[in-house]
Amino acid sequence: MTTAEFQTTTIDILRHGQTVADDILRGRIDVALSDHGYQQMQQRLGPLIEPTAPWQQIITSPLQRCAAFADDIKQQHGTPVTINQGFLEMDFGDWDGKPFAELKANDPVLFSKIWRQPHLYSPPNGEAFTDFSTRIGSAWNSLIEQHCGQHILLICHGGVIRALLGHIMETPLTALSRIEVPYACLSRVKVHHQQGEDHWPQLIFHNVHQ
């Protein structure tokens, strides 16, 4: 089998670190990283970026808690950065930016249902989880097609990572909240491409500590 017939794409997936607003529901609200959150991301990547970053491309959500760190890697290592709207966090509608304590106190039943049954319930005026999952799957498929055979860093959000892992592992939507995705969570997926066959993704690790 020739190289042209078989290729592997490697995608490192990094969640943003802690933000300056740590006690709110963060969807489309554009809050900055805290100093500690920035350090979390630096420490998690650890030896991957020393002495040089290994990625041909960095893909990032446009929100500053992801994009600012991506831009710093670009400045330090010269790695190209592409902002991709498809990897935005879920739009939580009227709940976006509200404190968790307030949401739980005002509507504890709906809050619990959204967490346990996201395919059936959504925040008021928010993005349906099924639509969110479809959006993330489409963005992922486009990334794979555009960067086949490369090593990519994707910087995004907790909900996005859960949806991605669900897409890759063919996990039911009802089970995605069982996946822990802490701040600065680092995962790796390899996608194997064989001519004439569907892409075959493989989860190499999740929430690893460098």
Side-chain angles (χ1 to χ4, degrees), residues 51-110:
T52 59
W55 309 290
Q56 283 80 53
Q57 182 78 35
I58 300 172
I59 311 294
T60 179
S61 158
L63 299 180
Q64 61 178 315
R65 55 191 184 268
C66 300
F69 189 80
D71 189 62
D72 280 356
I73 298 178
K74 176 183 177 180
Q75 298 303 320
Q76 295 166 16
H77 298 280
T79 310
V81 172
T82 298
I83 291 175
N84 191 319
Q85 300 282 338
F87 293 108
L88 273 166
E89 182 60 287
M90 185 173 172
D91 184 350
F92 294 112
D94 296 347
W95 284 14
D96 210 334
K98 299 289 182 64
F100 285 108
E102 177 184 325
L103 295 173
K104 291 178 182 178
N106 289 344
D107 200 336
V109 174
L110 182 58

Side-chain angles (χ1 to χ4, degrees), residues 17-24 26 30-35 64 183:
Q18 182 188 60
T19 67
V20 294
D22 194 42
D23 60 347
I24 64 172
R26 293 176 307 274
D30 199 7
V31 294
L33 288 171
S34 66
D35 290 342
Q64 61 178 315
Y183 286 137

Side-chain angles (χ1 to χ4, degrees), residues 150-165:
Q150 296 183 353
H151 190 177
I152 302 296
L153 174 63
L154 172 62
I155 305 177
C156 54
H157 308 271
V160 172
I161 294 171
R162 289 188 181 90
L164 277 177
L165 294 181

